[in-house]
Amino acid sequence: SSTKSNISAPFKTYLDRASELEGKYPVVSFFARYYVIEKLMVLRKDGKKDAESEKTLMSLLQLIFPVNLQGMQGAQYSRRHFH
């Protein structure tokens, strides 16, 4: 049986450290997470991605750049914001 590698696993240390430093050193925490985002995006561009790396990347992007994309599609967006 083949073992599937987790693309985001090597970055777990950075994410753990970011969580640890969040309260006392928020800027360091931000850049640790940003580093992981950059690396995962480069890997993704090169076609190296899996479900876990995509989930990690999307959650980091949401954490660092919080944007609510819910309801911003077509008619649903129109009804919600323009009635």
Side-chain angles (χ1 to χ4, degrees):
S1 69
S2 65
T3 304
K4 225 177 177 186
S5 66
N6 181 350
I7 292 168
S8 56
F11 306 110
K12 185 179 180 330
T13 304
Y14 292 94
L15 298 176
D16 290 345
R17 192 73 169 144
S19 295
E20 183 183 317
L21 298 174
E22 195 164 12
K24 193 167 184 181
Y25 302 105
V27 174
V28 175
S29 177
F30 172 88
F31 280 104
R33 289 181 174 121
Y34 191 79
Y35 172 80
V36 174
I37 287 172
E38 285 185 318
K39 294 299 181 184
L40 288 175
M41 288 181 82
V42 168
L43 289 168
R44 187 176 197 248
K45 184 179 175 189
D46 292 342
K48 298 173 186 159
K49 63 182 182 176
D50 59 17
E52 190 62 33
S53 67
E54 287 291 291
K55 181 180 168 188
T56 300
L57 178 58
M58 294 306 137
S59 66
L60 286 171
L61 287 170
Q62 181 66 32
L63 181 67
I64 290 191
F65 307 107
V67 174
N68 183 4
L69 298 177
Q70 236 18 56
M72 291 183 69
Q73 298 170 2
Q76 184 179 357
Y77 183 81
S78 303
R79 282 196 309 272
R80 195 165 168 202
H81 297 283
F82 300 106
H83 72 307

